[in-house]
Amino acid sequence: MTLNNGVEIPQLGFGTYQIEPENTREAVRTALEVGYRHIDTAEMYGNEKEVGEGLRDSGLDRDDVFITSKLNNGFHAHDDALRAMDQTLADLQVERLDLFLVHWPLPGIDVDFVETWKAMEQIYRDGKARAIGVSNFQSNHLNRLRDQTDITPAVNQIEVHPYLTQDELRAFGAERGIATEAWSPIAQGKVLDDPAIVRVAERVGRTPAQVTLRWAIQRGDIVFPKSVTRSRVEENFALFDFELSEDDITAISALNRDERTGPDPDTFNYIPG
């Protein structure tokens, strides 16, 4: 897919959330062996160093792998954000990121996320990230960035799955050239036993996880499942040799309950101690 500044991003990536650092290096190496070329990590995950190690183990050229990381919630002040970015680059042992995101808007803390975004703009202008974006931002947060800053986020990484389809926020972003990245795409496994998804999976001869991920792909979202099991990593990658019908897409989308597995971005203000 092509972002709003012309940077190309693989629509399917490999997520590293909740992968322990001691398992991350091998997981990333395995994912790259399977064929993934997009790795998503974050300062908050505590495994950036190991992501970098897995990348180097793969033997792939740096330019062949799209790497995303995210600003930790404790570094929203302008100069703190700049230092945090430098630390991320050092931990990953890369000269620049492909995408750097503000992890959460944190609307209730004493640092305005507009200040944080201005630091992100400096990071972009300094060439330390090929694209910048946000994560878990709502439409009201995005409107403030539009009104008070210069650069439109390239992506908004938000929780999206069949029980939380986020159609309004996704459309809001699309109208402004902001791509949607879907985290928790299978709702931490909650959707996999849903009869509607199971029926589609049986009909197309795929697993419920593959059907759910294919639903996200066909809706135009960027998605990055994660696993430390090679067979599951391979299964999650096998999404491009089948298609869902429009009726399938509609039936799965109709499962929406506006049900989150994670925090509400309008009230979440957690800063790691």
Side-chain angles (χ1 to χ4, degrees):
M1 297 177 63
T2 303
L3 301 177
N4 60 19
N5 67 345
V7 168
E8 293 186 346
I9 181 172
Q11 191 177 6
L12 177 62
F14 180 75
T16 62
Y17 176 55
Q18 292 182 331
I19 298 181
E20 296 296 330
E22 60 266 27
N23 298 323
T24 300
R25 181 175 185 169
E26 182 178 354
V28 169
R29 183 173 62 244
T30 297
L32 295 172
E33 289 175 356
V34 167
Y36 291 84
R37 292 297 181 266
H38 175 183
I39 306 295
D40 181 273
T41 185
E43 293 176 26
M44 195 179 295
Y45 302 168
N47 57 18
E48 288 177 315
K49 289 182 180 179
E50 292 76 15
V51 168
E53 291 168 354
L55 174 60
R56 289 188 296 281
D57 288 348
S58 74
L60 293 168
D61 290 341
R62 167 65 187 91
D63 291 342
D64 290 337
V65 182
F66 192 102
I67 301 177
T68 298
S69 194
K70 310 175 193 73
L71 180 70
N72 202 322
N73 290 352
F75 304 127
H76 269 220
H78 185 277
D79 290 349
D80 290 344
L82 301 184
R83 285 190 290 269
M85 176 53 161
D86 288 341
Q87 187 62 55
T88 281
L89 295 178
D91 287 343
L92 287 164
Q93 293 190 35
V94 296
E95 294 183 357
R96 67 175 179 175
L97 287 179
D98 297 289
L99 179 64
F100 194 43
L101 308 178
V102 180
H103 206 153
W104 289 89
L106 306 179
I109 70 170
D110 59 1
V111 180
D112 194 318
F113 59 78
V114 170
E115 174 185 339
T116 310
W117 185 250
K118 290 180 179 179
M120 299 289 283
E121 292 180 323
Q122 181 174 335
I123 286 167
Y124 178 69
R125 292 184 178 118
D126 288 345
K128 295 180 179 180
R130 297 172 63 220
I132 53 174
V134 294
S135 182
N136 301 299
F137 274 50
Q138 304 280 63
S139 57
N140 57 302
H141 306 139
L142 294 171
N143 276 332
R144 287 200 58 217
L145 294 186
R146 179 198 62 194
D147 293 341
Q148 299 178 41
T149 66
D150 297 328
I151 299 175
T152 300
V155 306
N156 187 16
Q157 185 179 121
I158 56 176
E159 182 178 356
V160 182
H161 47 73
Y163 291 165
L164 183 69
T165 56
Q166 297 266 40
D167 289 339
E168 289 186 9
L169 183 53
R170 291 171 61 254
F172 182 93
E175 290 171 0
R176 291 154 180 80
I178 303 171
T180 294
E181 292 190 332
W183 65 261
S184 195
I186 60 174
Q188 298 182 10
K190 291 181 180 179
V191 304
L192 300 184
D193 294 327
D194 191 285
I197 293 175
V198 171
R199 281 195 297 270
V200 174
E202 290 174 346
R203 185 179 62 77
V204 300
R206 298 291 175 142
T207 67
Q210 288 174 316
V211 165
T212 305
L213 294 170
R214 181 68 200 184
W215 168 82
I217 291 286
Q218 287 187 219
R219 291 198 338 145
D221 294 346
I222 299 160
V223 65
F224 32 90
K226 63 97 175 174
S227 177
V228 296
T229 304
R230 186 183 183 98
S231 61
R232 187 63 56 82
V233 173
E234 293 173 344
E235 174 187 317
N236 291 341
F237 190 71
L239 303 180
F240 297 99
D241 58 350
F242 75 102
E243 289 189 0
L244 304 180
S245 69
E246 287 300 320
D247 287 344
D248 293 336
I249 298 294
T250 299
I252 295 171
S253 298
L255 299 174
N256 180 54
R257 306 172 180 176
D258 292 330
E259 180 179 294
R260 296 184 181 276
T261 66
D264 183 342
D266 282 321
T267 59
F268 183 71
N269 293 299
Y270 171 74
I271 297 177

mmCIF file with all atom_site columns, all heavy atoms in Angstrom, residues 5 8 14 21 23-24 27 58 61 77 82 93 107 127 132 142 147-148 164 166 179 184 193 253 257 260:
data_model
loop_
_atom_site.group_PDB
_atom_site.id
_atom_site.type_symbol
_atom_site.label_atom_id
_atom_site.label_alt_id
_atom_site.label_comp_id
_atom_site.label_asym_id
_atom_site.label_entity_id
_atom_site.label_seq_id
_atom_site.pdbx_PDB_ins_code
_atom_site.Cartn_x
_atom_site.Cartn_y
_atom_site.Cartn_z
_atom_site.occupancy
_atom_site.B_iso_or_equiv
_atom_site.pdbx_formal_charge
_atom_site.auth_seq_id
_atom_site.auth_comp_id
_atom_site.auth_asym_id
_atom_site.auth_atom_id
_atom_site.pdbx_PDB_model_num
ATOM 1   N N   . ASN A 1 5   ? 2.452   10.076  1.908  1.00 0.00 ? 5   ASN A N   1
ATOM 2   C CA  . ASN A 1 5   ? 3.673   10.776  1.484  1.00 0.00 ? 5   ASN A CA  1
ATOM 3   C C   . ASN A 1 5   ? 4.432   9.993   0.415  1.00 0.00 ? 5   ASN A C   1
ATOM 4   O O   . ASN A 1 5   ? 5.583   10.308  0.108  1.00 0.00 ? 5   ASN A O   1
ATOM 5   C CB  . ASN A 1 5   ? 4.586   11.049  2.682  1.00 0.00 ? 5   ASN A CB  1
ATOM 6   C CG  . ASN A 1 5   ? 5.147   9.769   3.286  1.00 0.00 ? 5   ASN A CG  1
ATOM 7   O OD1 . ASN A 1 5   ? 4.657   8.671   3.012  1.00 0.00 ? 5   ASN A OD1 1
ATOM 8   N ND2 . ASN A 1 5   ? 6.173   9.902   4.108  1.00 0.00 ? 5   ASN A ND2 1
ATOM 9   N N   . GLU A 1 8   ? 5.828   3.281   0.482  1.00 0.00 ? 8   GLU A N   1
ATOM 10  C CA  . GLU A 1 8   ? 5.095   2.030   0.345  1.00 0.00 ? 8   GLU A CA  1
ATOM 11  C C   . GLU A 1 8   ? 5.270   1.180   1.602  1.00 0.00 ? 8   GLU A C   1
ATOM 12  O O   . GLU A 1 8   ? 6.363   1.079   2.152  1.00 0.00 ? 8   GLU A O   1
ATOM 13  C CB  . GLU A 1 8   ? 5.575   1.256   -0.884 1.00 0.00 ? 8   GLU A CB  1
ATOM 14  C CG  . GLU A 1 8   ? 5.223   1.954   -2.196 1.00 0.00 ? 8   GLU A CG  1
ATOM 15  C CD  . GLU A 1 8   ? 5.569   1.123   -3.407 1.00 0.00 ? 8   GLU A CD  1
ATOM 16  O OE1 . GLU A 1 8   ? 6.320   0.129   -3.252 1.00 0.00 ? 8   GLU A OE1 1
ATOM 17  O OE2 . GLU A 1 8   ? 5.089   1.466   -4.508 1.00 0.00 ? 8   GLU A OE2 1
ATOM 18  N N   . PHE A 1 14  ? 4.226   -8.428  10.681 1.00 0.00 ? 14  PHE A N   1
ATOM 19  C CA  . PHE A 1 14  ? 4.382   -9.334  11.809 1.00 0.00 ? 14  PHE A CA  1
ATOM 20  C C   . PHE A 1 14  ? 4.448   -8.506  13.084 1.00 0.00 ? 14  PHE A C   1
ATOM 21  O O   . PHE A 1 14  ? 5.312   -7.630  13.224 1.00 0.00 ? 14  PHE A O   1
ATOM 22  C CB  . PHE A 1 14  ? 5.654   -10.166 11.655 1.00 0.00 ? 14  PHE A CB  1
ATOM 23  C CG  . PHE A 1 14  ? 5.893   -11.140 12.787 1.00 0.00 ? 14  PHE A CG  1
ATOM 24  C CD1 . PHE A 1 14  ? 5.149   -12.304 12.879 1.00 0.00 ? 14  PHE A CD1 1
ATOM 25  C CD2 . PHE A 1 14  ? 6.849   -10.885 13.753 1.00 0.00 ? 14  PHE A CD2 1
ATOM 26  C CE1 . PHE A 1 14  ? 5.374   -13.207 13.921 1.00 0.00 ? 14  PHE A CE1 1
ATOM 27  C CE2 . PHE A 1 14  ? 7.078   -11.774 14.799 1.00 0.00 ? 14  PHE A CE2 1
ATOM 28  C CZ  . PHE A 1 14  ? 6.333   -12.938 14.879 1.00 0.00 ? 14  PHE A CZ  1
ATOM 29  N N   . PRO A 1 21  ? 11.156  -10.565 25.303 1.00 0.00 ? 21  PRO A N   1
ATOM 30  C CA  . PRO A 1 21  ? 12.432  -10.267 24.639 1.00 0.00 ? 21  PRO A CA  1
ATOM 31  C C   . PRO A 1 21  ? 13.252  -11.507 24.313 1.00 0.00 ? 21  PRO A C   1
ATOM 32  O O   . PRO A 1 21  ? 13.853  -11.594 23.234 1.00 0.00 ? 21  PRO A O   1
ATOM 33  C CB  . PRO A 1 21  ? 13.134  -9.357  25.657 1.00 0.00 ? 21  PRO A CB  1
ATOM 34  C CG  . PRO A 1 21  ? 12.022  -8.677  26.386 1.00 0.00 ? 21  PRO A CG  1
ATOM 35  C CD  . PRO A 1 21  ? 10.935  -9.713  26.494 1.00 0.00 ? 21  PRO A CD  1
ATOM 36  N N   . ASN A 1 23  ? 12.323  -14.294 23.389 1.00 0.00 ? 23  ASN A N   1
ATOM 37  C CA  . ASN A 1 23  ? 11.747  -15.036 22.267 1.00 0.00 ? 23  ASN A CA  1
ATOM 38  C C   . ASN A 1 23  ? 11.652  -14.211 20.992 1.00 0.00 ? 23  ASN A C   1
ATOM 39  O O   . ASN A 1 23  ? 11.343  -14.755 19.928 1.00 0.00 ? 23  ASN A O   1
ATOM 40  C CB  . ASN A 1 23  ? 10.339  -15.526 22.632 1.00 0.00 ? 23  ASN A CB  1
ATOM 41  C CG  . ASN A 1 23  ? 10.328  -16.470 23.810 1.00 0.00 ? 23  ASN A CG  1
ATOM 42  O OD1 . ASN A 1 23  ? 11.237  -17.290 23.957 1.00 0.00 ? 23  ASN A OD1 1
ATOM 43  N ND2 . ASN A 1 23  ? 9.317   -16.369 24.649 1.00 0.00 ? 23  ASN A ND2 1
ATOM 44  N N   . THR A 1 24  ? 11.923  -12.915 21.096 1.00 0.00 ? 24  THR A N   1
ATOM 45  C CA  . THR A 1 24  ? 11.664  -12.019 19.972 1.00 0.00 ? 24  THR A CA  1
ATOM 46  C C   . THR A 1 24  ? 12.631  -12.232 18.825 1.00 0.00 ? 24  THR A C   1
ATOM 47  O O   . THR A 1 24  ? 12.237  -12.228 17.652 1.00 0.00 ? 24  THR A O   1
ATOM 48  C CB  . THR A 1 24  ? 11.714  -10.555 20.443 1.00 0.00 ? 24  THR A CB  1
ATOM 49  O OG1 . THR A 1 24  ? 10.722  -10.343 21.447 1.00 0.00 ? 24  THR A OG1 1
ATOM 50  C CG2 . THR A 1 24  ? 11.466  -9.609  19.284 1.00 0.00 ? 24  THR A CG2 1
ATOM 51  N N   . ALA A 1 27  ? 11.618  -15.194 16.868 1.00 0.00 ? 27  ALA A N   1
ATOM 52  C CA  . ALA A 1 27  ? 10.311  -14.981 16.237 1.00 0.00 ? 27  ALA A CA  1
ATOM 53  C C   . ALA A 1 27  ? 10.433  -14.094 15.008 1.00 0.00 ? 27  ALA A C   1
ATOM 54  O O   . ALA A 1 27  ? 9.822   -14.364 13.963 1.00 0.00 ? 27  ALA A O   1
ATOM 55  C CB  . ALA A 1 27  ? 9.341   -14.362 17.247 1.00 0.00 ? 27  ALA A CB  1
ATOM 56  N N   . SER A 1 58  ? 18.605  -12.426 9.802  1.00 0.00 ? 58  SER A N   1
ATOM 57  C CA  . SER A 1 58  ? 17.931  -12.839 8.575  1.00 0.00 ? 58  SER A CA  1
ATOM 58  C C   . SER A 1 58  ? 18.822  -12.723 7.349  1.00 0.00 ? 58  SER A C   1
ATOM 59  O O   . SER A 1 58  ? 18.594  -13.401 6.339  1.00 0.00 ? 58  SER A O   1
ATOM 60  C CB  . SER A 1 58  ? 16.672  -11.997 8.353  1.00 0.00 ? 58  SER A CB  1
ATOM 61  O OG  . SER A 1 58  ? 17.009  -10.676 7.928  1.00 0.00 ? 58  SER A OG  1
ATOM 62  N N   . ASP A 1 61  ? 18.710  -7.303  3.374  1.00 0.00 ? 61  ASP A N   1
ATOM 63  C CA  . ASP A 1 61  ? 19.109  -5.908  3.342  1.00 0.00 ? 61  ASP A CA  1
ATOM 64  C C   . ASP A 1 61  ? 18.138  -5.082  4.165  1.00 0.00 ? 61  ASP A C   1
ATOM 65  O O   . ASP A 1 61  ? 16.923  -5.345  4.173  1.00 0.00 ? 61  ASP A O   1
ATOM 66  C CB  . ASP A 1 61  ? 19.118  -5.387  1.904  1.00 0.00 ? 61  ASP A CB  1
ATOM 67  C CG  . ASP A 1 61  ? 20.250  -5.974  1.071  1.00 0.00 ? 61  ASP A CG  1
ATOM 68  O OD1 . ASP A 1 61  ? 21.221  -6.480  1.676  1.00 0.00 ? 61  ASP A OD1 1
ATOM 69  O OD2 . ASP A 1 61  ? 20.155  -5.934  -0.165 1.00 0.00 ? 61  ASP A OD2 1
ATOM 70  N N   . ALA A 1 77  ? 6.925   14.782  26.059 1.00 0.00 ? 77  ALA A N   1
ATOM 71  C CA  . ALA A 1 77  ? 7.485   16.127  25.955 1.00 0.00 ? 77  ALA A CA  1
ATOM 72  C C   . ALA A 1 77  ? 8.417   16.201  24.748 1.00 0.00 ? 77  ALA A C   1
ATOM 73  O O   . ALA A 1 77  ? 9.062   15.215  24.380 1.00 0.00 ? 77  ALA A O   1
ATOM 74  C CB  . ALA A 1 77  ? 8.242   16.490  27.231 1.00 0.00 ? 77  ALA A CB  1
ATOM 75  N N   . LEU A 1 82  ? 12.383  13.382  21.098 1.00 0.00 ? 82  LEU A N   1
ATOM 76  C CA  . LEU A 1 82  ? 13.548  13.334  20.216 1.00 0.00 ? 82  LEU A CA  1
ATOM 77  C C   . LEU A 1 82  ? 14.597  12.360  20.747 1.00 0.00 ? 82  LEU A C   1
ATOM 78  O O   . LEU A 1 82  ? 15.177  11.572  19.988 1.00 0.00 ? 82  LEU A O   1
ATOM 79  C CB  . LEU A 1 82  ? 14.158  14.729  20.073 1.00 0.00 ? 82  LEU A CB  1
ATOM 80  C CG  . LEU A 1 82  ? 13.245  15.832  19.506 1.00 0.00 ? 82  LEU A CG  1
ATOM 81  C CD1 . LEU A 1 82  ? 14.044  17.125  19.348 1.00 0.00 ? 82  LEU A CD1 1
ATOM 82  C CD2 . LEU A 1 82  ? 12.627  15.421  18.175 1.00 0.00 ? 82  LEU A CD2 1
ATOM 83  N N   . GLN A 1 93  ? 19.525  -0.699  16.057 1.00 0.00 ? 93  GLN A N   1
ATOM 84  C CA  . GLN A 1 93  ? 20.753  -0.611  15.263 1.00 0.00 ? 93  GLN A CA  1
ATOM 85  C C   . GLN A 1 93  ? 20.434  -0.344  13.784 1.00 0.00 ? 93  GLN A C   1
ATOM 86  O O   . GLN A 1 93  ? 20.915  -1.036  12.881 1.00 0.00 ? 93  GLN A O   1
ATOM 87  C CB  . GLN A 1 93  ? 21.613  -1.870  15.433 1.00 0.00 ? 93  GLN A CB  1
ATOM 88  C CG  . GLN A 1 93  ? 22.178  -2.008  16.842 1.00 0.00 ? 93  GLN A CG  1
ATOM 89  C CD  . GLN A 1 93  ? 23.221  -3.103  16.964 1.00 0.00 ? 93  GLN A CD  1
ATOM 90  O OE1 . GLN A 1 93  ? 23.993  -3.337  16.041 1.00 0.00 ? 93  GLN A OE1 1
ATOM 91  N NE2 . GLN A 1 93  ? 23.238  -3.782  18.101 1.00 0.00 ? 93  GLN A NE2 1
ATOM 92  N N   . PRO A 1 107 ? -4.810  11.976  26.517 1.00 0.00 ? 107 PRO A N   1
ATOM 93  C CA  . PRO A 1 107 ? -5.403  13.320  26.579 1.00 0.00 ? 107 PRO A CA  1
ATOM 94  C C   . PRO A 1 107 ? -5.444  13.936  27.972 1.00 0.00 ? 107 PRO A C   1
ATOM 95  O O   . PRO A 1 107 ? -5.640  15.151  28.096 1.00 0.00 ? 107 PRO A O   1
ATOM 96  C CB  . PRO A 1 107 ? -6.820  13.099  26.038 1.00 0.00 ? 107 PRO A CB  1
ATOM 97  C CG  . PRO A 1 107 ? -7.112  11.657  26.316 1.00 0.00 ? 107 PRO A CG  1
ATOM 98  C CD  . PRO A 1 107 ? -5.802  10.950  26.138 1.00 0.00 ? 107 PRO A CD  1
ATOM 99  N N   . GLY A 1 127 ? 14.830  13.271  8.838  1.00 0.00 ? 127 GLY A N   1
ATOM 100 C CA  . GLY A 1 127 ? 15.110  12.051  8.097  1.00 0.00 ? 127 GLY A CA  1
ATOM 101 C C   . GLY A 1 127 ? 15.276  10.809  8.943  1.00 0.00 ? 127 GLY A C   1
ATOM 102 O O   . GLY A 1 127 ? 15.771  9.782   8.458  1.00 0.00 ? 127 GLY A O   1
ATOM 103 N N   . ILE A 1 132 ? 5.603   9.203   9.538  1.00 0.00 ? 132 ILE A N   1
ATOM 104 C CA  . ILE A 1 132 ? 5.188   9.301   10.938 1.00 0.00 ? 132 ILE A CA  1
ATOM 105 C C   . ILE A 1 132 ? 3.677   9.153   11.008 1.00 0.00 ? 132 ILE A C   1
ATOM 106 O O   . ILE A 1 132 ? 2.945   9.473   10.067 1.00 0.00 ? 132 ILE A O   1
ATOM 107 C CB  . ILE A 1 132 ? 5.622   10.637  11.582 1.00 0.00 ? 132 ILE A CB  1
ATOM 108 C CG1 . ILE A 1 132 ? 5.164   11.839  10.742 1.00 0.00 ? 132 ILE A CG1 1
ATOM 109 C CG2 . ILE A 1 132 ? 7.130   10.653  11.800 1.00 0.00 ? 132 ILE A CG2 1
ATOM 110 C CD1 . ILE A 1 132 ? 5.432   13.183  11.403 1.00 0.00 ? 132 ILE A CD1 1
ATOM 111 N N   . LEU A 1 142 ? -7.408  13.608  16.004 1.00 0.00 ? 142 LEU A N   1
ATOM 112 C CA  . LEU A 1 142 ? -6.907  13.873  14.648 1.00 0.00 ? 142 LEU A CA  1
ATOM 113 C C   . LEU A 1 142 ? -7.293  15.263  14.174 1.00 0.00 ? 142 LEU A C   1
ATOM 114 O O   . LEU A 1 142 ? -6.519  15.924  13.469 1.00 0.00 ? 142 LEU A O   1
ATOM 115 C CB  . LEU A 1 142 ? -7.447  12.808  13.688 1.00 0.00 ? 142 LEU A CB  1
ATOM 116 C CG  . LEU A 1 142 ? -6.946  11.383  13.938 1.00 0.00 ? 142 LEU A CG  1
ATOM 117 C CD1 . LEU A 1 142 ? -7.708  10.402  13.070 1.00 0.00 ? 142 LEU A CD1 1
ATOM 118 C CD2 . LEU A 1 142 ? -5.449  11.276  13.687 1.00 0.00 ? 142 LEU A CD2 1
ATOM 119 N N   . ASP A 1 147 ? -5.692  20.921  12.761 1.00 0.00 ? 147 ASP A N   1
ATOM 120 C CA  . ASP A 1 147 ? -5.859  22.360  12.970 1.00 0.00 ? 147 ASP A CA  1
ATOM 121 C C   . ASP A 1 147 ? -4.601  23.038  13.498 1.00 0.00 ? 147 ASP A C   1
ATOM 122 O O   . ASP A 1 147 ? -4.409  24.246  13.293 1.00 0.00 ? 147 ASP A O   1
ATOM 123 C CB  . ASP A 1 147 ? -7.013  22.620  13.946 1.00 0.00 ? 147 ASP A CB  1
ATOM 124 C CG  . ASP A 1 147 ? -8.368  22.222  13.383 1.00 0.00 ? 147 ASP A CG  1
ATOM 125 O OD1 . ASP A 1 147 ? -8.476  22.080  12.144 1.00 0.00 ? 147 ASP A OD1 1
ATOM 126 O OD2 . ASP A 1 147 ? -9.301  22.021  14.177 1.00 0.00 ? 147 ASP A OD2 1
ATOM 127 N N   . GLN A 1 148 ? -3.723  22.285  14.175 1.00 0.00 ? 148 GLN A N   1
ATOM 128 C CA  . GLN A 1 148 ? -2.636  22.923  14.906 1.00 0.00 ? 148 GLN A CA  1
ATOM 129 C C   . GLN A 1 148 ? -1.229  22.483  14.481 1.00 0.00 ? 148 GLN A C   1
ATOM 130 O O   . GLN A 1 148 ? -0.247  22.976  15.045 1.00 0.00 ? 148 GLN A O   1
ATOM 131 C CB  . GLN A 1 148 ? -2.811  22.663  16.411 1.00 0.00 ? 148 GLN A CB  1
ATOM 132 C CG  . GLN A 1 148 ? -4.120  23.233  16.967 1.00 0.00 ? 148 GLN A CG  1
ATOM 133 C CD  . GLN A 1 148 ? -4.304  22.929  18.443 1.00 0.00 ? 148 GLN A CD  1
ATOM 134 O OE1 . GLN A 1 148 ? -3.353  23.008  19.223 1.00 0.00 ? 148 GLN A OE1 1
ATOM 135 N NE2 . GLN A 1 148 ? -5.510  22.576  18.839 1.00 0.00 ? 148 GLN A NE2 1
ATOM 136 N N   . LEU A 1 164 ? -15.206 -5.067  16.716 1.00 0.00 ? 164 LEU A N   1
ATOM 137 C CA  . LEU A 1 164 ? -14.964 -3.619  16.820 1.00 0.00 ? 164 LEU A CA  1
ATOM 138 C C   . LEU A 1 164 ? -14.518 -3.150  15.432 1.00 0.00 ? 164 LEU A C   1
ATOM 139 O O   . LEU A 1 164 ? -13.324 -2.976  15.174 1.00 0.00 ? 164 LEU A O   1
ATOM 140 C CB  . LEU A 1 164 ? -13.896 -3.317  17.874 1.00 0.00 ? 164 LEU A CB  1
ATOM 141 C CG  . LEU A 1 164 ? -13.605 -1.829  18.129 1.00 0.00 ? 164 LEU A CG  1
ATOM 142 C CD1 . LEU A 1 164 ? -14.779 -1.141  18.818 1.00 0.00 ? 164 LEU A CD1 1
ATOM 143 C CD2 . LEU A 1 164 ? -12.331 -1.667  18.955 1.00 0.00 ? 164 LEU A CD2 1
ATOM 144 N N   . GLN A 1 166 ? -14.949 -0.325  13.780 1.00 0.00 ? 166 GLN A N   1
ATOM 145 C CA  . GLN A 1 166 ? -14.394 1.038   13.691 1.00 0.00 ? 166 GLN A CA  1
ATOM 146 C C   . GLN A 1 166 ? -14.671 1.699   12.331 1.00 0.00 ? 166 GLN A C   1
ATOM 147 O O   . GLN A 1 166 ? -13.846 2.463   11.823 1.00 0.00 ? 166 GLN A O   1
ATOM 148 C CB  . GLN A 1 166 ? -12.875 1.024   13.945 1.00 0.00 ? 166 GLN A CB  1
ATOM 149 C CG  . GLN A 1 166 ? -12.466 0.553   15.321 1.00 0.00 ? 166 GLN A CG  1
ATOM 150 C CD  . GLN A 1 166 ? -12.274 1.672   16.321 1.00 0.00 ? 166 GLN A CD  1
ATOM 151 O OE1 . GLN A 1 166 ? -13.053 2.627   16.334 1.00 0.00 ? 166 GLN A OE1 1
ATOM 152 N NE2 . GLN A 1 166 ? -11.254 1.570   17.144 1.00 0.00 ? 166 GLN A NE2 1
ATOM 153 N N   . ALA A 1 179 ? -4.054  6.098   6.499  1.00 0.00 ? 179 ALA A N   1
ATOM 154 C CA  . ALA A 1 179 ? -4.294  4.660   6.414  1.00 0.00 ? 179 ALA A CA  1
ATOM 155 C C   . ALA A 1 179 ? -4.592  4.095   7.794  1.00 0.00 ? 179 ALA A C   1
ATOM 156 O O   . ALA A 1 179 ? -4.082  4.580   8.814  1.00 0.00 ? 179 ALA A O   1
ATOM 157 C CB  . ALA A 1 179 ? -3.079  3.957   5.810  1.00 0.00 ? 179 ALA A CB  1
ATOM 158 N N   . SER A 1 184 ? -4.766  -6.070  17.274 1.00 0.00 ? 184 SER A N   1
ATOM 159 C CA  . SER A 1 184 ? -5.656  -7.083  17.851 1.00 0.00 ? 184 SER A CA  1
ATOM 160 C C   . SER A 1 184 ? -6.679  -7.564  16.817 1.00 0.00 ? 184 SER A C   1
ATOM 161 O O   . SER A 1 184 ? -7.877  -7.601  17.086 1.00 0.00 ? 184 SER A O   1
ATOM 162 C CB  . SER A 1 184 ? -6.376  -6.535  19.100 1.00 0.00 ? 184 SER A CB  1
ATOM 163 O OG  . SER A 1 184 ? -6.970  -7.582  19.850 1.00 0.00 ? 184 SER A OG  1
ATOM 164 N N   . ASP A 1 193 ? -14.165 -18.491 17.444 1.00 0.00 ? 193 ASP A N   1
ATOM 165 C CA  . ASP A 1 193 ? -15.236 -19.476 17.607 1.00 0.00 ? 193 ASP A CA  1
ATOM 166 C C   . ASP A 1 193 ? -16.588 -18.937 17.179 1.00 0.00 ? 193 ASP A C   1
ATOM 167 O O   . ASP A 1 193 ? -17.599 -19.639 17.322 1.00 0.00 ? 193 ASP A O   1
ATOM 168 C CB  . ASP A 1 193 ? -15.320 -19.931 19.077 1.00 0.00 ? 193 ASP A CB  1
ATOM 169 C CG  . ASP A 1 193 ? -14.085 -20.696 19.525 1.00 0.00 ? 193 ASP A CG  1
ATOM 170 O OD1 . ASP A 1 193 ? -13.503 -21.402 18.680 1.00 0.00 ? 193 ASP A OD1 1
ATOM 171 O OD2 . ASP A 1 193 ? -13.706 -20.581 20.704 1.00 0.00 ? 193 ASP A OD2 1
ATOM 172 N N   . SER A 1 253 ? -18.589 -8.248  9.034  1.00 0.00 ? 253 SER A N   1
ATOM 173 C CA  . SER A 1 253 ? -18.689 -6.869  9.528  1.00 0.00 ? 253 SER A CA  1
ATOM 174 C C   . SER A 1 253 ? -19.920 -6.679  10.408 1.00 0.00 ? 253 SER A C   1
ATOM 175 O O   . SER A 1 253 ? -19.916 -5.850  11.325 1.00 0.00 ? 253 SER A O   1
ATOM 176 C CB  . SER A 1 253 ? -18.727 -5.888  8.360  1.00 0.00 ? 253 SER A CB  1
ATOM 177 O OG  . SER A 1 253 ? -17.540 -5.955  7.595  1.00 0.00 ? 253 SER A OG  1
ATOM 178 N N   . ARG A 1 257 ? -19.796 -5.219  17.693 1.00 0.00 ? 257 ARG A N   1
ATOM 179 C CA  . ARG A 1 257 ? -20.429 -4.973  18.996 1.00 0.00 ? 257 ARG A CA  1
ATOM 180 C C   . ARG A 1 257 ? -19.866 -3.720  19.654 1.00 0.00 ? 257 ARG A C   1
ATOM 181 O O   . ARG A 1 257 ? -20.198 -3.440  20.814 1.00 0.00 ? 257 ARG A O   1
ATOM 182 C CB  . ARG A 1 257 ? -20.169 -6.158  19.933 1.00 0.00 ? 257 ARG A CB  1
ATOM 183 C CG  . ARG A 1 257 ? -20.550 -7.522  19.411 1.00 0.00 ? 257 ARG A CG  1
ATOM 184 C CD  . ARG A 1 257 ? -20.047 -8.601  20.361 1.00 0.00 ? 257 ARG A CD  1
ATOM 185 N NE  . ARG A 1 257 ? -20.372 -9.947  19.911 1.00 0.00 ? 257 ARG A NE  1
ATOM 186 C CZ  . ARG A 1 257 ? -19.964 -11.054 20.529 1.00 0.00 ? 257 ARG A CZ  1
ATOM 187 N NH1 . ARG A 1 257 ? -19.190 -10.953 21.624 1.00 0.00 ? 257 ARG A NH1 1
ATOM 188 N NH2 . ARG A 1 257 ? -20.306 -12.236 20.069 1.00 0.00 ? 257 ARG A NH2 1
ATOM 189 N N   . ARG A 1 260 ? -14.285 -3.489  22.830 1.00 0.00 ? 260 ARG A N   1
ATOM 190 C CA  . ARG A 1 260 ? -12.825 -3.376  22.880 1.00 0.00 ? 260 ARG A CA  1
ATOM 191 C C   . ARG A 1 260 ? -12.211 -4.505  23.698 1.00 0.00 ? 260 ARG A C   1
ATOM 192 O O   . ARG A 1 260 ? -12.795 -4.964  24.679 1.00 0.00 ? 260 ARG A O   1
ATOM 193 C CB  . ARG A 1 260 ? -12.399 -2.041  23.497 1.00 0.00 ? 260 ARG A CB  1
ATOM 194 C CG  . ARG A 1 260 ? -12.803 -0.817  22.682 1.00 0.00 ? 260 ARG A CG  1
ATOM 195 C CD  . ARG A 1 260 ? -12.255 0.464   23.323 1.00 0.00 ? 260 ARG A CD  1
ATOM 196 N NE  . ARG A 1 260 ? -12.653 1.632   22.560 1.00 0.00 ? 260 ARG A NE  1
ATOM 197 C CZ  . ARG A 1 260 ? -12.002 2.088   21.491 1.00 0.00 ? 260 ARG A CZ  1
ATOM 198 N NH1 . ARG A 1 260 ? -10.893 1.476   21.105 1.00 0.00 ? 260 ARG A NH1 1
ATOM 199 N NH2 . ARG A 1 260 ? -12.430 3.141   20.834 1.00 0.00 ? 260 ARG A NH2 1
#
